[in-house]
Amino acid sequence: MLGMTAYAKRCVDSNFGDFCLEIFSFNHRYLDILIHLPTEIQHLEFFIEDFIRKRINRGRLRFTLRFERNQYFDQNYRMFIDKRLVMKLSKFLTWIEENIKIDRSCSMDLLNWPGVIRNQSGKHDNIKEFKDLLSCNLSLLIEDLILYKVKEGENVKNLIHGKLEKIEKIIYRIRSFIPEFERINQDKLKEKLENLHLDKSFDVDFLKKDILTFVRHADILEEIDRIALHVHLSKDLIQKNFPIGKKLDFIFQEINRESNTISSKSNHVEIINLAIEIKVLVDQVREHIQNIE
């Protein structure tokens, strides 16, 4: 089990300069990656995003790379302006100014247009060396993040396991009230039958159906057995190392539904109160589930 709240950081002194990689992980239903890079290496954004996506399954991730370049980097990564693109944009701005009467944007706005300022690579081997260096440190950063996630997941697993143990104890207590619950229902049914005034025109089949419906609604053993099965399945599931958050959330929705059915069927005060306790524990577990993949 892996948690979703995590943090990792790596600072490196390399031939290209000093850079610091930092990544935060937060709760999220899906995988959402936000990347902040210096202008000089913004063209590596998709490379970094793809690298992270292959290793992380779920959560909102915020990755930041701070970089202090040196002379060696400047020799291999040079910034240049795409003059042809600037000329085209300038013509468009002139047309807009003349025909739509909108003031021309300042030259800095032109420089912010995607593709106007680009990086011109130097020697291919040196560029590959920089990407390899980045890949190596990204791997180490993700490993640190996953270790943090494992620790977080272990804490959440212990919390969920404790709640499951409490639900099991409540189920045991509900079972202990079943004989009394059945006796109350039998007495109620007997009282109803004694108060009936039957004559020859009375529909016996209708009475049988009514009794059958009463008995079916008075039986909560099936719901108790299903909750016990869900608890057993959840205990087994939280020991797994693959993402289980969505599956576990669905199981606890089912436990909540079964406890609702028990409280609606039962006319026994203790059983109703115990069913409510299960619902409270389910809500607490579902809060914890939001913190795991």
Side-chain angles (χ1 to χ4, degrees):
M1 180 189 288
L2 296 176
M4 277 198 289
T5 305
Y7 170 76
K9 182 178 181 179
R10 286 191 66 81
C11 293
V12 182
D13 181 10
S14 71
N15 293 334
F16 296 94
D18 300 334
F19 58 91
C20 188
L21 297 84
E22 197 172 29
I23 188 166
F24 294 85
S25 176
F26 307 98
N27 301 342
H28 197 57
R29 291 184 65 187
Y30 308 104
L31 180 60
D32 181 30
I33 303 173
L34 185 63
I35 296 175
H36 298 283
L37 297 175
T39 305
E40 300 92 328
I41 55 172
Q42 277 187 350
H43 61 287
L44 295 175
E45 180 176 345
F46 293 113
F47 166 76
I48 293 171
E49 182 177 344
D50 183 62
F51 192 96
I52 295 172
R53 283 188 181 278
K54 289 177 179 177
R55 291 158 177 81
I56 304 294
N57 296 296
R58 187 180 167 199
R60 174 169 281 131
L61 302 176
R62 190 174 75 225
F63 173 83
T64 304
L65 193 153
R66 297 179 182 85
F67 184 51
E68 292 184 15
R69 68 192 192 200
N70 58 17
Q71 188 176 1
Y72 182 73
F73 179 88
D74 290 336
Q75 289 172 355
N76 292 280
Y77 274 83
R78 302 185 186 91
M79 295 177 64
F80 76 100
I81 294 177
D82 189 333
K83 295 178 182 178
R84 293 177 62 184
L85 180 57
V86 171
M87 291 299 294
K88 287 182 180 179
L89 290 172
S90 180
K91 288 179 181 179
F92 283 128
L93 289 172
T94 301
W95 183 88
I96 291 171
E97 184 181 21
E98 292 175 352
N99 293 276
I100 310 180
K101 307 301 181 185
I102 295 177
D103 292 337
R104 177 189 289 266
S105 300
C106 68
S107 58
M108 285 303 296
D109 290 334
L110 271 179
L111 296 178
N112 288 329
W113 188 271
V116 169
I117 298 178
R118 287 188 279 173
N119 293 302
Q120 186 177 39
S121 300
K123 295 180 181 179
H124 176 74
D125 290 343
N126 292 334
I127 303 308
K128 184 178 182 301
E129 180 188 349
F130 180 77
K131 287 187 73 173
D132 289 344
L133 178 68
L134 182 60
S135 297
C136 177
N137 283 280
L138 270 173
S139 292
L140 295 172
L141 182 76
I142 298 299
E143 284 179 15
D144 291 344
L145 186 75
I146 290 173
L147 284 175
Y148 198 114
K149 282 172 164 282
V150 169
K151 291 179 182 178
E152 178 74 11
E154 193 66 26
N155 292 333
V156 175
K157 181 177 77 173
N158 292 334
L159 289 170
I160 292 175
H161 188 271
K163 304 296 182 185
L164 289 169
E165 291 284 331
K166 288 182 179 180
I167 292 174
E168 278 189 327
K169 290 178 181 178
I170 291 172
I171 290 298
Y172 179 80
R173 289 175 63 192
I174 290 176
R175 288 188 191 277
S176 69
F177 287 113
I178 292 295
E180 184 181 347
F181 173 63
E182 289 178 342
R183 181 182 56 77
I184 291 171
N185 285 323
Q186 287 172 3
D187 292 344
K188 186 180 290 187
L189 181 60
K190 188 184 294 184
E191 183 182 350
K192 283 187 175 183
L193 291 173
E194 288 174 352
N195 292 331
L196 283 175
H197 300 289
L198 303 179
D199 54 31
K200 292 181 180 180
S201 63
F202 190 83
D203 189 346
V204 178
D205 290 335
F206 178 80
L207 177 61
K208 289 179 180 179
K209 289 179 182 178
D210 199 32
I211 293 173
L212 186 62
T213 302
F214 178 85
V215 172
R216 189 184 298 117
H217 280 282
D219 182 21
I220 60 172
L221 283 173
E222 187 177 343
E223 286 78 12
I224 293 171
D225 289 339
R226 278 200 291 264
I227 290 177
L229 181 64
H230 290 322
V231 169
H232 177 75
L233 180 61
S234 298
K235 279 188 170 183
D236 182 60
L237 199 58
I238 61 176
Q239 304 301 326
K240 306 298 182 183
N241 293 323
F242 52 79
I244 61 167
K246 291 182 180 179
K247 190 171 184 178
L248 204 58
D249 188 53
F250 174 76
I251 291 173
F252 275 89
Q253 284 183 45
E254 290 300 299
I255 294 176
N256 189 64
R257 188 173 64 83
E258 301 295 351
S259 59
N260 279 333
T261 305
I262 290 172
S263 60
S264 65
K265 280 185 175 183
S266 178
N267 54 7
H268 192 288
V269 176
E270 288 296 331
I271 291 177
I272 293 172
N273 288 335
L274 290 170
I276 292 171
E277 283 187 37
I278 292 176
K279 286 170 59 65
V280 171
L281 289 168
V282 166
D283 285 341
Q284 291 172 356
V285 171
R286 293 187 71 185
E287 285 288 328
H288 294 314
I289 290 172
Q290 302 307 312
N291 289 318
I292 61 174
E293 285 191 9

